[in-house]
Amino acid sequence: MDSYDVLVIGGGPAGYVAAIRAAQLGFKTACVDAFERNGKASLGGTCLNVGCIPSKALLDSSEKFEMIAREAGEHGIQVDGATVDLGKMLGRKESVVDKLTGGVAYLFKKNKVTSIHGLGRLVRQDGDAWIVDAAGQEVRAKNVIVATGSSPRALPGVPFGGNIVDNSGALAFEQVPAQLGVIGAGVIGVELGSVWRRLGAQVTILEALPGFLLASDEAVSKEALKQLQKQGLDFHFGIKITEVQQGESGVTVTYEEKGQPVTTRFDKLIVSIGRVPHTAGLGAQEVGLQLDERGFVKVDDHFRTNLPGIYAIGDVIGGPMLAHKAEEEGVAVAELLAGQAGHVNYAVVPWVIYTSPEIAWAGLTEKQAKEQGHKVKTGQFPFSANGRALGHGDPRGFVKVVADADTDKILGVHMVGPNVSELIGETVALMEFGASAEDLGRTVHAHPTLSEVVKEAALATDKRALHM
Ligand code: FAD
Ligand code: NAI
């Protein structure tokens, strides 16, 4: 029987990073992963195969199309008759995925991580180790890291299939649907809704909650909603889905809006109402691995489960379902196993939504900061007063800095605007080091860059922005 110091179950961002870090630290490591794409093993989990990477590839392609077909004229570039070759666009997305999933296989080889394709199932404890069925073969592992991720949540009684799709289906429509319905105005809803709208779909988004992105800073969610509505995304808030009927050529959805029943037909329906922890086939119940009431694997602050030698990380333990959070947990758990001080600072995990304009934030919203008892000051600076944004032709949005009025410490940064997915990184690093708004405001930022908006927003917390 093969024997390992560390066996990772799941090869997504949590699992593959944990395996690489464990191998770097000298552990004999294997990773068993079941994911298949086009009938073949494909490492990288949800993120690389049917999540972060393919969605961003399509967001980029569709944004280029929108730019060329509808916005190039503003720059004095005349392009007539730009059309979309959807097959080619989807093919490009697949080749990006191939490159990256193949890259994980290469990294496993380079770091001497044994890669096993198939299901991993906890079987029994054996002295100070665990026996795991890895793709039909029993292996022995001193430490097991469960990183089995999450799956899309279906509407009760409405299984995915046909024209009712989850994230995987929504990344692979063979034709642009004329009428696209989206249930859930969350991250997937607005990202993939944006992709298909840019390519020509009429997109209707049905959301149960009364408002948009309620977890983000109010100023940002308000501005983002305004911009997305302007593009033609048709949002309906506070609705209640009462019936979904699959037909041969489409889906009929009945919902209540302001107390009135409404029935609408769509060619395709994306259901993006959140994700649930994935533990099917893991053998959790059989070995007594504790899950919480929502099905997440229960862990302590060192990623230890209730069973000695079994750890869990990533989407399957809850918290923000984000690839970078999962990766950091992968590093932390491997370092803890090596006796080091592995740690994830959950207070500054950035969120980025790759719509146009992009949305990004980290740390506390103004409301949260006040609720936590801080005396708060804020500074906001618009991209419309920034030379680079005007040059780009995209001066929408702003950066808002939330700081403690007594200590000047930056508590949160909230952005909506061009390239804010990249701008948020600087502020995360500063918050990690406990920086003040003055530190940020006095840091030299290259001119002309979008990053000057971040600096100016920091200066604005003391009412001394220079260019407004
Ligand atoms: P997963 O990536 O789900 O990986 C788990 C792996 O374990 C899978 O390969 C699965 O097949 C395998 N597995 C499960 N059970 C077993 C078993 N018993 N045996 C063997 N293998 C098993 N996050 C971001 O940060 N940025 C983004 O831009 C972003 N975009 C997204 C877009 C979409 C459409 C979706 C759906 C998600 C997106 N996410 C994004 C979220 C991100 O994909 C997840 O947070 C991340 O993949 C979680 O990593 P994980 O390793 O915990 O789980
Ligand atoms: P989500 O949690 O972001 O949004 C789900 C939305 O559906 C919520 O607004 C919720 O109120 C609504 N909803 C729930 N039940 C409903 C119902 N019955 N009827 C109508 N609306 C309903 O979940 P989503 O979009 O499915 O994405 C899952 C997760 O994947 C995200 O939370 C995020 O963690 C991750 N993700 C991250 C991305 C990024 O970082 N850019 C991109 C895409 C996904």
Side-chain angles (χ1 to χ4, degrees):
M1 186 186 296
D2 288 335
S3 181
Y4 298 96
D5 299 319
V6 175
L7 177 77
V8 184
I9 305 181
Y16 85 72
V17 167
I20 291 172
R21 188 71 188 118
Q24 283 177 348
L25 290 164
F27 292 114
K28 187 181 174 200
T29 305
C31 176
V32 54
D33 181 72
F35 202 95
E36 286 188 0
R37 201 163 52 90
N38 305 325
K40 281 198 277 186
S42 188
L43 289 165
T46 302
C47 176
L48 269 57
N49 287 285
V50 288
C52 329
I53 297 302
S55 60
K56 264 81 262 179
L58 285 186
L59 278 155
D60 282 335
S61 293
S62 60
E63 200 168 346
K64 282 194 164 57
F65 172 65
E66 180 135 288
M67 171 66 196
I68 292 164
R70 300 179 192 130
E71 292 160 13
E74 283 170 33
H75 293 260
I77 303 167
Q78 210 48 55
V79 183
D80 294 323
T83 55
V84 170
D85 178 342
L86 185 58
K88 196 159 177 189
M89 196 180 276
L90 295 179
R92 190 196 81 95
K93 171 207 69 173
E94 286 299 295
S95 66
V96 173
V97 171
D98 283 344
K99 215 174 216 153
L100 286 166
T101 54
V104 177
Y106 160 79
L107 291 173
F108 274 4
K109 269 205 192 104
K110 183 178 164 210
N111 288 283
K112 301 193 173 53
V113 173
T114 302
S115 182
I116 306 169
H117 175 57
L119 265 184
R121 184 171 52 84
L122 301 164
V123 178
R124 63 181 180 280
Q125 203 165 5
D126 180 31
D128 64 349
W130 282 89
I131 305 297
V132 176
D133 181 315
Q137 284 241 301
E138 288 199 344
V139 300
R140 198 166 185 280
K142 278 193 212 133
N143 302 286
V144 176
I145 300 172
V146 173
T148 50
S150 63
S151 325
R153 184 204 306 276
L155 278 167
V158 185
F160 291 110
N163 295 311
I164 302 173
V165 301
D166 60 11
N167 53 296
S168 303
L171 288 162
F173 293 144
E174 285 167 3
Q175 282 177 359
V176 177
Q179 296 293 332
L180 174 63
V182 178
I183 302 189
V187 198
I188 294 181
V190 293
E191 286 191 354
L192 295 183
S194 292
V195 165
W196 295 106
R197 183 208 54 80
R198 291 171 192 162
L199 299 180
Q202 175 65 45
V203 180
T204 305
I205 304 185
L206 305 173
E207 166 62 45
L209 293 176
F212 182 59
L213 286 185
L214 296 178
S216 64
D217 193 88
E218 209 180 320
V220 162
S221 55
K222 237 169 126 178
E223 173 69 13
L225 178 63
K226 189 178 89 190
Q227 296 294 344
L228 294 173
Q229 283 174 324
K230 218 161 135 187
Q231 292 159 19
L233 289 175
D234 181 17
F235 287 90
H236 297 253
F237 294 104
I239 61 91
K240 184 169 181 242
I241 305 289
T242 50
E243 197 181 6
V244 177
Q245 272 198 331
Q246 172 106 246
E248 263 186 25
S249 65
V251 184
T252 307
V253 178
T254 305
Y255 55 96
E256 265 175 37
E257 186 169 25
K258 297 183 188 122
Q260 297 297 316
V262 183
T263 299
T264 312
R265 186 202 159 277
F266 300 110
D267 299 299
K268 298 278 181 194
L269 180 71
I270 301 176
V271 177
S272 48
I273 55 169
R275 296 179 62 85
V276 291
H278 182 98
T279 51
L282 179 67
Q285 224 179 359
E286 291 81 344
V287 296
L289 181 69
Q290 254 182 30
L291 310 181
D292 72 13
E293 61 289 348
R294 293 189 298 155
F296 290 103
V297 177
K298 266 185 158 173
V299 289
D300 67 10
D301 58 3
H302 280 51
F303 310 104
R304 288 178 292 222
T305 68
N306 64 311
L307 299 175
I310 301 188
Y311 302 79
I313 54 173
D315 278 9
V316 79
I317 64 167
M321 287 188 170
L322 296 172
H324 39 282
K325 172 262 192 192
E327 289 188 32
E328 291 306 324
E329 289 177 347
V331 170
V333 74
E335 293 183 349
L336 287 166
L337 287 175
Q340 298 180 4
H343 175 69
V344 179
N345 182 2
Y346 293 102
V348 281
V349 174
W351 275 87
V352 176
I353 305 177
Y354 298 79
T355 44
S356 174
E358 293 183 338
I359 304 161
W361 73 89
L364 301 178
T365 63
E366 183 177 348
K367 187 165 167 245
Q368 286 168 337
K370 283 178 179 160
E371 280 167 4
Q372 290 189 15
H374 291 278
K375 199 170 146 211
V376 169
K377 58 177 182 173
T378 65
Q380 197 166 308
F381 194 86
F383 283 98
S384 58
N386 173 265
R388 194 75 201 281
L390 287 166
H392 272 313
D394 190 359
R396 296 169 296 170
F398 56 83
V399 172
K400 172 174 172 179
V401 171
V402 178
D404 187 292
D406 293 326
T407 65
D408 199 35
K409 189 176 174 186
I410 302 171
L411 302 172
V413 183
H414 307 272
M415 307 180 173
V416 53
N419 282 30
V420 298
S421 55
E422 302 295 341
L423 297 184
I424 195 74
E426 165 189 23
T427 65
V428 172
L430 283 170
M431 280 191 269
E432 189 67 45
F433 288 99
S436 63
E438 174 137 18
D439 290 327
L440 176 53
R442 285 193 184 275
T443 301
V444 182
H445 286 70
H447 175 76
T449 61
L450 299 172
S451 72
E452 290 170 288
V453 175
V454 182
K455 172 193 169 95
E456 291 273 15
L459 291 173
T461 61
D462 275 339
K463 300 194 175 34
R464 57 190 184 97
L466 294 164
H467 293 89
M468 203 179 55

